[in-house]
Amino acid sequence: MPADLAVIGLGPFGLPLAQAAVAAGIPTVGYRTGPEPGSLSPAEQRRMLAQGFRVTTSATELGRVRTAVICAPTAPAADGGLDLGQVESAARTLAAQLRPHTTVILESPVPPGTTEGPLLRLLESGSGLRAGRDFHLAHCPSRVDPGNRDHTPANTPKVIGGLTPACTESAAAFYGRITDKVVRARGPREAETVQLLETNFRHVNIALVNEMAALCHDLGIDLWDVLRCAETKPFGFLAFRPGPGVGGHAVPQDLTAHAGRTLRMAELAQEVNGRMPRYVVQRAAALLNEHGKSARGARVLLLGVTYKADLSDLQGSPAQEIAVRLMELGASVSYHDPHVPSWNVLDRPVPRADSLYEAAADADLTILLQQHRTYDLQGLSVKAQLLLDTRGATPTGAAHRL
């Protein structure tokens, strides 16, 4: 059966979209844009293949679909903006195969103006077709939350901003086959800016609670009790949790390189969140010192080195910097993570603990960085000699919390 949808980019944005489309009965083909860390388990990917999903290396198949969605990953660039290299490469590949009446949608996180600017130019120059007349063009900000079982593509509204009203309706008709609700934006720039706002909203609020964590520690206040009480307010408050840093693929954007503007709050949030790995190591060294031990020569066990619980994705995980800083202090670092069979830091393998409880009992300090579902935190708090909980996940009084 010929594919109806081509998903270009099979990383953290593309695979979940392909999974949702296949589940909705849409014949789907996937096309890789480069090395892309997957966000689905091997079992989930096997299930997709059993349902008819195909991965192709032939670009000609991109010209046989009614809808093509570019989901190529973007990453921070040296100038503080986003590296759009894989998005542009995907656009060139698609343009060479593009047929009239195709609906092209961009889901990759991009600066406002990308869809009707660089993307449009690449598609038109490479295909000889005109956007809005010969083919539809729209932006739909990705709202993937890997591992979230409550909010899936089927029940998460999709925002659509088309180059023309007809482009919006064509994209809306496609997403209407996948999700319960489609929200129409005024245009591509508004849709792109939705992602900018949502991503920076998350980072700014995490930065606020991270600063509160340091403040409360200095004042001898139980932050976790403060949060427990504050989240009972039914209006004007949304609870966020502190942590060792912020990872993932949706990075806050500095628009200086693209629009000559900067979001000061987003800059401050990046600065605060970027300091958290250093703060965790400072707290770890202080804890060891309080218990008569030096960081130099201390055996430190890191629990959970992925950027999010119950995933295998290491993108942007603060565990990397924490491990490096501990090693620089002379600590002997090992790790345990049920989703990561091997882990390298500074191009060297980090010893992996096979037995969690034995490793925690043997370590001078255990640091919980990620709260994987498989961790028995009550049992862990009993076995560990000294436990620093950066997630507030252990029972009250069972560990030293961030």
Side-chain angles (χ1 to χ4, degrees):
M1 178 186 296
D4 190 37
L5 165 68
V7 176
I8 306 172
L10 298 179
F13 309 118
L15 268 181
L17 172 63
Q19 182 185 37
V22 169
I26 301 173
T28 303
V29 63
Y31 184 87
R32 296 190 186 280
T33 60
E36 299 160 328
S39 57
L40 301 183
S41 68
E44 289 175 308
Q45 295 183 51
R46 287 193 296 270
R47 194 175 305 118
M48 289 173 61
L49 294 172
Q51 292 173 318
F53 176 63
R54 293 187 296 108
V55 177
T56 183
T57 57
S58 172
T60 58
E61 292 206 45
L62 304 182
R64 300 171 185 162
V65 297
R66 289 193 297 173
T67 305
V69 184
I70 296 175
C71 298
T74 53
D79 61 5
L82 288 179
D83 182 355
L84 303 181
Q86 288 199 51
V87 172
E88 293 170 350
S89 176
R92 294 188 187 95
T93 300
L94 175 61
Q97 310 297 330
L98 194 60
R99 295 188 310 172
H101 311 300
T102 303
T103 298
V104 179
I105 304 167
L106 176 63
E107 276 209 15
S108 304
V110 294
T114 300
T115 302
E116 59 185 8
L119 179 64
L120 181 148
R121 291 192 293 271
L122 287 170
L123 291 173
E124 288 188 339
S125 62
S127 67
L129 303 176
R130 183 175 175 183
R133 184 192 68 186
D134 302 318
F135 67 94
H136 296 299
L137 180 63
H139 184 83
C140 174
S142 178
R143 282 177 163 174
V144 173
D145 188 11
N148 192 323
R149 299 182 179 185
D150 297 321
H151 299 289
T152 65
N155 63 16
T156 301
K158 299 292 285 186
V159 174
I160 312 295
L163 188 66
T164 66
C167 292
T168 297
E169 292 310 311
S170 180
F174 162 69
Y175 283 110
R177 301 167 67 186
I178 295 176
T179 187
D180 296 335
K181 185 176 182 179
V182 172
V183 180
R184 292 161 175 80
R186 292 187 64 177
R189 287 173 180 256
E190 285 76 13
E192 291 163 337
T193 309
V194 166
Q195 182 123 51
L196 178 70
L197 175 59
E198 291 175 352
T199 299
N200 285 322
F201 176 86
R202 171 175 173 257
H203 281 258
V204 166
N205 280 280
I206 292 174
L208 172 61
V209 78
N210 277 338
E211 284 208 303
M212 288 294 296
L215 174 67
C216 287
H217 174 70
D218 291 344
L219 297 178
I221 295 170
D222 186 344
L223 169 71
W224 304 95
D225 192 57
V226 172
L227 289 171
R228 180 184 64 84
C229 295
E231 64 186 353
T232 63
K233 185 180 180 183
F235 56 90
F237 182 80
L238 183 61
F240 282 77
R241 298 290 187 268
V246 182
H249 300 267
V251 296
Q253 294 183 33
D254 179 358
L255 299 180
T256 306
H258 302 281
R261 295 289 300 274
T262 184
L263 291 172
R264 185 64 181 137
M265 289 294 292
E267 274 189 336
L268 288 171
Q270 284 182 273
E271 183 182 322
V272 170
N273 292 331
R275 288 200 304 259
M276 289 309 291
R278 185 186 317 156
Y279 177 70
V280 169
V281 173
Q282 290 171 349
R283 287 286 305 276
L287 270 176
L288 285 166
N289 188 58
E290 289 169 12
H291 288 77
K293 298 177 182 177
S294 168
R296 180 170 297 280
R299 298 182 301 275
V300 180
L301 174 66
L302 303 181
L303 298 187
V305 296
T306 60
Y307 91 86
K308 191 174 183 182
D310 304 317
L311 297 179
S312 60
D313 199 336
L314 294 165
Q315 176 70 29
S317 171
Q320 184 84 14
E321 182 179 344
I322 289 170
V324 170
R325 290 184 176 275
L326 286 168
M327 291 174 182
E328 289 174 346
L329 290 178
S332 175
V333 178
S334 60
Y335 85 100
H336 180 278
D337 194 306
H339 304 281
V340 181
S342 63
W343 186 43
N344 288 348
V345 172
L346 299 177
D347 296 324
R348 297 197 306 268
V350 179
R352 184 179 189 273
D354 294 322
S355 172
L356 173 58
Y357 291 144
E358 288 182 12
D362 184 59
D364 296 308
L365 174 65
T366 298
I367 307 178
L368 178 67
L369 297 179
Q370 199 53 266
Q371 184 186 353
H372 292 311
R373 190 178 293 112
T374 56
Y375 285 156
D376 173 9
L377 300 180
Q378 178 72 57
L380 179 65
S381 62
V382 172
K383 293 287 186 180
Q385 292 188 42
L386 191 59
L387 178 60
L388 175 59
D389 177 4
T390 70
R391 296 290 178 177
T394 52
T396 304
H400 298 270
R401 289 180 169 185
L402 193 63

